[in-house]
Amino acid sequence: MQGVLGAFHELDSAIHAIEDLKKAKLGDITVFTPTPRHEFDHVLEHAPSKVRIYTLVMGLAGVTFGYWIPVWISDYWPLVVGGKAIATWVPFTILGFEVMVLIGGLSTVFAMFGFSHIPRLTMTVGYDPRFSSGHFGVWVETAPEQADAAIELLKKHGAEEVRRER
Amino acid sequence: MTKRRKWTAIPGLVVLAVGAVMLSAYSGASSSQNNSPVQPIAFPHPVHVQKLGMNCLYCHNAANKSMDPGLPAVSTCVGCHSMVGPDRPASDLGPARKSAEIQKLWNYADIKVPGAPLGPNAKPIPWVRIHKLPEYVHFPHTRHVNAGVTCQTCHGQVQKMDRVYQYASLNMGWCVSCHVNGYSPKEGQEAAGYEPQQVAPGQAVAPAAAAAASTERKKARYDCANCHY
Amino acid sequence: MATSASPLPGGQRPNIPSAAVRFPAVRSYEQVDNEIAGTLRPTLGWFAALGIAILCLLVGAATWTYQIHEGLGAAGYQPPVMWGVYIITFVFWVGIGHAGTLISAILYLFRAGFRTSIYRVSEAMTVFAVMTAGLFPILHLGRPWKFFYLIPYPNWRLIWPNPKSPLVWDVFAILTYLTISSTFLYIGLIPDIAILRDREKNPVRKSILSMLALGWRNSDREWRHFTRAYLFLAAFATPLVLSVHSVVSFDFAMALTPGWHATIFPPYFVAGAIFSGIGMVFTIAIPLRKAFKLQHYITLNDIDAAAKLCLFTSMVVGLAYLTEFQIAWVSGNKFEQDYFWNRVFGQWAWAAWIMLICNCVLPLSLFSQKLRRNTTWLFILSLFINLGMWFERFVIVVPSLSHEFEPWQWGSYRPTWVDYGILLGSFGWFFMWFLLFIKQLPVMAMMEIKEVVPPRFKHGHTDPHDLTADQIDPDQMGVAH
Amino acid sequence: MSQDTLKTGDKPTGVKRREFLKVLGVTGAAVSAAACSEDTGKLIPYLVSPDETVPGVSTYYATVCRECISACGVIAETRDGRVIKLEGNPDHPMSKGALCARGQAAPQGLYNPDRFRTPMVNEGGAWKAITWDDAVTRLATAVAGAKGKPSVFLNQHESGSFPRFLDSWLSSMGLAPHLSVDAEADQAAIEANRRSYGVAWPSLSFKDAKLIVSFGADFLDGWGAGVSQSLDFADARAKLDNAPRFVYIGARRSLTGLNADEWIACKPGSELSIANALAGKSSLEQAATDSGVPAAQLQRLAAEIGANKPLLALSGVTGDAALETALAVAALNQANGAVGVTIKPAQPVTSFEGIASTAQVLNAVEQMRGGSVGIAFVRGTNPAYTLPKSANFAEAFAKVPVRVSFSSFPDETTELCTLIIPDLHSLEQWGDAEPLRGTITLQQPAMDPVFPALKGSTADALIAAAKNPVGTYREWLMAQLPGGKPAIAAALPKGMMAGTLPARPTAPAAPIAARPSPASQGDFTLVTYPHALLGDGRGANKPWLQELPDPVSKVAWSSWVEIHPETAQRLGIDRGDVLEIKTATGSVKAPAFPYMGIHKDAVAIPLGQGHHATTAMGVFNPKKDAGTVQWGYGRYARDLGVNALDLLPVASNAAGGLVLDGMKVSIAKTGEHRTLPSTEGSARQHGRGIARAIEAAELNRPEQEEHEVLPGAASAEFLPGLRSPVAADAQGELGAPTAADQGKLKGMYDPNDVRGMAKRRWAMTIDLNRCTGCSACVTACYAENNIPTVGAAWQNATIWADARAGFNIERGREMNWIRLERYFEGNPDAKFGEDFETRFVPMMCQHCGNAPCEPVCPVYATYHAPDGLNVQVYNRCVGTRYCSNNCPYKVRYFNWFGYGEEDRKQYAFPEPLNWQLNPDVTVRGKGVMEKCSFCVQRIREAENRAAVEHRDLHGDEFTTACAQACPSRAITFGDAADPSWSVTQLIEDRRAYHVFEELNTFTAVVYLKKVNHSAGAAAPQA
């Protein structure tokens, strides 16, 4: 995988660079930013995250499981305590809730990992330590022949540094 | 970047470890099943039970009367073995020989010559215990024996064991599953290794035999206080 | 449509300008990194503090070993007071463990600005407090080596824990809470760890940080899912906070014991927990702010806001106390009335009054803005609040048990050195973790601070894009126009 | 648990290890639940198995109890050759199957760790263990040496043939006859009985009395034949119509006094004038002024006596006018038609015959002091302790060259001896007794001697020493008994035979030569009395009796000074303030116990504590001192409390009995404070209706309308409690799975829904009208259920912990599964003279149908068994103690230390006390909760027996330990779901109620209200 990486110090220059890159259709664009700026979402126009679906489904699965454990346990070895019914669903709501939160919460996290491809075993090309501190990075995945165009475009928008990677 | 890949294995290992722990806990790996210690005297159950046809209750005489099965007093052994000494003549049990084990018995019982009673310095035989329930478990042998549970159901076919070993796990789950699912005389017979007698069609069956062949499962209470108090 | 009205240029939602001046003294992203990551350099004072904490922990550990060897009688239990310092301290720590998630999750949903600078500290506090609290249910067992009987796992006994027991609810609630809150903390940490990773020179530390950062690279895709997941996690954590302390309160409310058997307990406990938690946040954040020279991040405005929350919860707690007495009064239940009389005017008056003064009287001083903005006073007050909240649990646990239905079995309670030793140990354990944390990982969420620090621009704010939007708005993330 | 391994076998204790191993090897002996090791250990078989015993099955021997002089017939339960429990002999006229706390504790004498394990000789001040034969030869030479010289033999009084054998032996050796000593017997009463009725002790019939008046006669705690008297008294009071009213006259309200309907608090020593006045010998006004009792009260009493014949008046006065009072009371009886009706000289209690008076003992002491005595013997009794210090027994005793002791324990007297040949315990030797004229009770050894080094009883030793041709004592004894061998063989199983023994010589009573003793000054009068449980002190070395709270003060492991709250307030004395009590002859220091039942000008101190070795020995340390002889009456008794006898001058009443009260004392605060080791939380009910009572008149009134709580309507509320939900019953024999609902509905959400309910429900009724508070049930429970005692000084923690006797009890850590609550009724801050009522409530696990303890347990360690038991599973318990917090009755007890683990210093059953452990009951380890199990082991035993015999349980087939022991038959146990059990009738009694019924716990224990007979109601409405 190869392409061109531009590092910007100013937010607006990066935004404009991206717009032009999109117009020029030079390839897929990935933006690196120290902190989430929704300007990028506006220009990149990505679809909303699907994480919420996992949260919902696994939450429901969790609450079901959370009710099922105590009921099964109680019936598995029926012992009367305090003259109460063997499977008393009312207090089991607590367990249901806790297990829902546990499974729902964890699966949300794992869904997030999955969608954003982490944990990532290798540092892919097209990343620079500066992007975690102060700089915005724009990575265009282009064929070598179009690379020069991309470089020129990024430079025009005032990228501090532009480099070609493979 | 191999270094990076290694650590992805860690969660997997953790999962495996947890699984293993649970499996061992579930399978009762902690119990002393199959433990078969060396006894001070290598008492041959097969000879006494199968060849000589002695009943379990002859020696373990309290099994049907008490919580404890009871253990033969040295005098019980000597009852026969003061005559049946170390010098064994040829018999259907084997050629003439000198039995080291009976000699040991004589040493414990302090007997020098055949026919002598227990000597003055007789001391009990320190048998090594094999089947042991924790003290907080109260197991009434009498109740089980009288309910027709054959000894072998729990102790295995001791009549075939040259050296007795712990047959069952004696785990709580093991006890309970029998109480819950029930026990039929037929299973008992099979466990004991007795052939169910063949009955020709139309031939009357002795009631005892019929009872022994019954497959009706009898269940038992399984609340904790049956055994734990 | 025919109308003379003219829309805003650009048709964008107008944004909150105030956010721009949250941290007047913070100019650039790099400054955030340098200043906050700069606090990670260990100092002599830190080593000293850590040493003391570990010493206390060792004392506690030794005491527990002795208690296990000798039997629980080594502690000061006096039947019918079958629960004592351990359960009191358990509830105390669980309570502390609430402010963290509250601040980070609930305030996050409410968009409370003052959250940004203190939530990392309080989340860490939460995790360690819950880790501490989690020890006590095991500590106070007669046979701690059998604690696994409480955990539902398939076993050859074929027998399981009793799901009707509040203590089993506790196991579930506390473990869930520990898992979720530590996940919450960790997720929030990932981007910051990435920052540290990129700054780190030492190869060993770098590789460790790389593992922890899970290869985070600040790509737009990562951020998109990250913010979404963070929002839902916060949405989950919020009811969890409320549920956990309610469950803890069930340990008491589900019992017949006069003084315990009350429906008000869940809200009462939650309020108390939040109150004590904020108290602990002050105890921790105020010295930290000084020691790390972060006054321009944890601004007086933030502290003032937190103090207001503290005042509010204090009044809620006070109301709960009054309600308890009122319930006893109108209930016409003799046992209940006897008990509450005994609580305030009898045997246990001293404890009850410590509780009332520390939790309901002193915090009233926060009506004065001068005091709200006086960190010294807040620190002192927070110590009183911690004390008062410990005694609140004391008043709930001990007097109730010592003065129950059966007069023949009325008794008293005097803890022994064993109880105090283990109490000390718990503080050692908590602060050991906390001190280790503050020198390994940033005590403030750098990336969230960057969110409210204006980025660098080339052509000022004349851009067709809404570049004045310095406030991140999770609901609008990734919404296409 | 490795108790049953060989490695513990080689400990050099004198115990018959082998026997013990046999036992433990084959039986799943009782050991700690916590210690569930994989160490399976060894199986040690018998050499020759005893014919009549089956391993793991109890064998029962009828024998005699020798703990007090009554000599009740008892049955010893033995398991694999060990006595594990004593129970009353149901056929015996004296005990009728009941047994008091002291009798229950006998095995702790048998297995007492401080018992002498070998004979010992004192050579040059150093003690040395010798063989039994050696000891006997030394005895023979000593006796030969003393021939012709005067001699003294002090023998603990006992009924039967041994005294006769002893005298014949002594005369054959040319020695003086023995003195039969008992420090507890009321010698004045005995002498008065002799003079008025011609017998030492007529049997009393409370049943036939219309009015009972007791002048300080504590017939429920130690005065006379305790068990039979309590049985009869309870029966009398249980008659709901015209039950006798009971008036107690005395300066101190004892346990007996607390059972009275009215207490007439007179000045100490003024009983005489009251008795005379009531008998019409003097004016009531005179009596009123002497006694400080309002005349009106006395007049009412006089009227009552006139109106309620026959009367039963008893005198147990111990002042110097004791004999005169007793005679006056006898006159009162004769005047009111008591003789032959309520007092039956025709059926004398023969065990009281032949007691030597204390005066005789003191004269013997003087004889010794004279220096002429050549040899002195002591057996069972402990004069160095039971005689006032002012008698200087030790100094006189020292003048005797040869001093032989046959005592089993290292007590004060034994320590002064030169030769010790320990007697066997009465459970190890042959003997006989005649408690009631015409009933010979046989004492047979229930087991081989615990310590094989002790080859024989005292009698055997004497025989051996005399080279006497009679052979063994057993042979001699058999020759004495009527009917010969066949009759005896027939009698042994029952332990009784008809016939009488030769009458015993009684020395004429004479007071000791009056000795000038300095007159004490002080504004208080001293009252001392034998401890209700420790008696004259002989019970002090038995942990059960030390642990058992005194029925009145509820104080354990300690002495106390009773003082009236009014006086205490006046002097600024608080409960627990250490007071110094001074007389001219001595002084003692003990904590104060403000008690409404003591005259405001008197202080009372119980006897029985304050045992000391001649040289101080320091706190016993189980790890180090286990091997050494524990002088001062053993590890459990030594240095506890004070001996009130130190205060007494040597003075005797006209009957020769020691004067125990009436001397002036001065009291002073020492400034010290000691919390009393008491099980009492609050002595008041605070209107919580735990112990309820009802006026007799009220009770006899016809039934009220329904909504009234009182009469039998109760059963409706009872149903749920006396039914129990079923689960975990695969067989369905108890109901559920085969019930109408197929076992689906196992709940009790609707208490009136009978589906899914069990066919069996173990339940219990406790009749508070019968209960006298004697606490025998508590000790019986300790014995049956292996309950540890926790009060010993060394049973606390180790580091920075308080090593004080009773400290665990101060902290409420006592383990009594059944406890006796003593609640005072009436004005809490009453001035002296205002009467008060006392109610005793035996409180144990109520086995609730809706048990609060059950749902809170996280591990199912406690749950509701299909047969209605609230079960505690020790091995499942993790010790969260939540169950106890949630128990309204507070009847759950926690093992704070390893009381049941033999390697702990807190171990409650040091060798050989652990021989007594009940193999059917798990000994609890540290960190687990325990509580009353309704003797589930007995239930299982019965169920097993029934199952093996292919039958159902019979009604009243067995009962719990407490119910069995109860000397007043207050407790009834049974299956509430099966009408063939008598408990089902009692539940329907109109006095029945549940404690804390409003909590909907649906308890299985039903209490029957106490019935009061107040003064007003007492007037016979004919």
Side-chain angles (χ1 to χ4, degrees), chain C residues 66 68-70 72-73 75 77 82-83 140 142-143 162 165 251 255-257 338 404-408 417, chain D residues 681-682 688 798-799 813 821-823 856-858 875 877-882 885-886 890 896 904 906 926:
Chain C
Y66 168 71
I68 291 175
H69 167 86
E70 197 74 271
L72 213 51
Y77 293 103
M82 289 281 190
W83 284 356
H140 99 298
R143 301 201 291 164
N162 170 11
S165 166
D251 290 353
L256 281 170
T257 314
D338 284 5
E404 258 220 51
F405 293 93
E406 187 83 14
W408 190 256
W417 66 271
Chain D
S682 163
R688 300 189 173 194
T798 314
I799 302 176
R813 292 177 175 184
E821 303 184 347
R822 187 252 302 117
Y823 287 118
V856 298
C857 176
N875 47 305
C877 177
V878 293
T880 66
R881 309 183 298 294
Y882 199 172
N885 287 346
N886 211 22
K890 289 279 165 279
W896 297 106
R904 319 292 315 157
Q906 295 91 352
K926 70 168 174 263

Side-chain angles (χ1 to χ4, degrees), chain A residues 7-126:
Chain A
F8 295 84
H9 208 213
E10 301 85 1
L11 179 58
D12 48 358
S13 355
I15 298 287
H16 299 142
I18 297 165
E19 287 186 320
D20 295 0
L21 283 167
K22 279 171 78 180
K23 289 202 198 72
K25 296 207 168 26
L26 291 173
D28 301 358
I29 306 168
T30 305
V31 181
F32 302 102
T33 160
T35 180
R37 310 286 313 190
H38 69 176
E39 295 84 350
F40 292 117
D41 302 281
H42 293 171
V43 291
L44 294 170
E45 291 169 347
H46 280 303
S49 166
K50 299 249 180 325
V51 168
R52 61 175 101 184
I53 293 150
Y54 285 77
T55 314
L56 176 69
V57 174
M58 294 311 284
L60 291 176
V63 72
T64 324
F65 185 60
Y67 265 111
W68 177 78
I69 312 171
V71 172
W72 182 82
I73 286 180
S74 311
D75 273 335
Y76 180 74
W77 191 318
L79 293 170
V80 173
V81 292
K84 293 172 170 48
I86 292 301
T88 50
W89 64 271
V90 182
F92 296 169
T93 309
I94 294 162
L95 304 184
F97 174 81
E98 300 297 341
V99 177
M100 170 186 77
V101 171
L102 185 63
I103 296 185
L106 290 181
S107 46
T108 308
V109 172
F110 287 119
M112 182 267 274
F113 282 7
F115 282 122
S116 43
H117 300 311
I118 54 177
R120 185 185 312 273
L121 304 187
T122 58
M123 269 309 172
T124 56
V125 290

Side-chain angles (χ1 to χ4, degrees), chain D residues 159-489:
Chain D
S159 163
S161 306
F162 176 77
R164 210 146 32 80
F165 168 86
L166 183 53
D167 278 346
S168 64
W169 183 85
L170 286 168
S171 56
S172 72
M173 293 288 134
L175 299 173
H178 78 282
L179 289 177
S180 196
V181 185
D182 185 63
E184 292 170 6
D186 182 346
Q187 289 155 16
I190 291 172
E191 180 61 20
N193 289 336
R194 269 211 206 85
R195 297 195 195 167
S196 333
Y197 313 122
V199 296
W201 205 272
S203 51
L204 311 171
S205 170
F206 296 83
K207 259 202 274 2
D208 301 316
K210 280 226 169 55
L211 177 67
I212 305 169
V213 180
S214 164
F215 295 80
D218 303 335
F219 53 84
L220 295 177
D221 43 345
W223 184 87
V227 172
S228 57
Q229 288 164 0
S230 341
L231 277 166
D232 194 49
F233 177 72
D235 290 344
R237 302 283 281 182
K239 294 189 298 178
L240 295 183
D241 322 327
N242 62 55
R245 190 159 175 276
F246 175 24
V247 180
Y248 187 84
I249 303 173
R252 173 184 180 265
R253 198 169 186 177
S254 65
L255 174 63
T256 313
L258 292 178
N259 280 279
D261 298 299
E262 180 181 2
W263 174 44
I264 295 179
C266 65
K267 291 212 189 83
S270 66
E271 294 89 350
L272 178 56
S273 56
I274 295 179
N276 284 330
L278 292 175
K281 293 208 197 68
S282 70
S283 78
L284 286 167
E285 291 63 28
Q286 183 52 42
T289 41
D290 295 352
S291 62
V293 180
Q297 201 174 3
L298 293 179
Q299 269 144 6
R300 216 201 51 254
L301 179 58
E304 235 181 280
I305 292 175
N308 297 286
K309 297 187 165 53
L311 168 76
L312 176 54
L314 303 165
S315 166
V317 178
T318 51
D320 47 13
L323 182 58
E324 296 74 358
T325 318
L327 290 167
V329 169
L332 198 58
N333 280 325
Q334 281 149 338
N336 291 283
V339 184
V341 185
T342 59
I343 296 178
K344 301 183 170 149
Q347 304 158 19
V349 180
T350 28
S351 25
F352 288 74
E353 295 287 354
I355 300 177
S357 74
T358 313
Q360 287 167 293
V361 179
L362 287 164
N363 296 336
V365 172
E366 291 317 308
Q367 191 186 9
M368 293 196 260
R369 187 169 288 121
S372 56
V373 178
I375 186 166
F377 306 85
V378 184
R379 177 172 176 272
T381 182
N382 183 9
Y385 172 86
T386 55
L387 294 178
K389 197 195 255 167
S390 48
N392 289 333
F393 174 85
E395 171 236 22
F397 197 49
K399 295 232 170 69
V400 184
V402 188
R403 309 180 290 277
V404 183
S405 169
F406 296 101
S407 304
S408 304
F409 304 105
D411 59 24
E412 289 83 346
T413 314
T414 325
E415 192 175 5
L416 303 172
C417 294
T418 53
L419 176 63
I420 304 172
I421 310 173
D423 190 7
L424 292 177
H425 192 275
S426 58
L427 289 167
E428 295 168 332
Q429 59 171 292
W430 287 94
D432 63 339
E434 189 187 11
L436 292 167
R437 168 88 27 94
T439 316
I440 298 178
T441 313
L442 300 169
Q443 169 189 319
Q444 49 180 335
M447 68 182 287
D448 296 350
V450 176
F451 304 114
L454 308 182
K455 284 205 196 145
S457 66
T458 303
D460 300 328
L462 297 178
I463 291 167
K467 327 254 176 331
N468 200 325
V470 298
T472 70
Y473 177 66
R474 180 171 178 279
E475 288 156 14
W476 180 87
L477 181 63
M478 294 304 154
Q480 303 297 312
L481 296 171
K485 288 234 179 310
I488 298 165

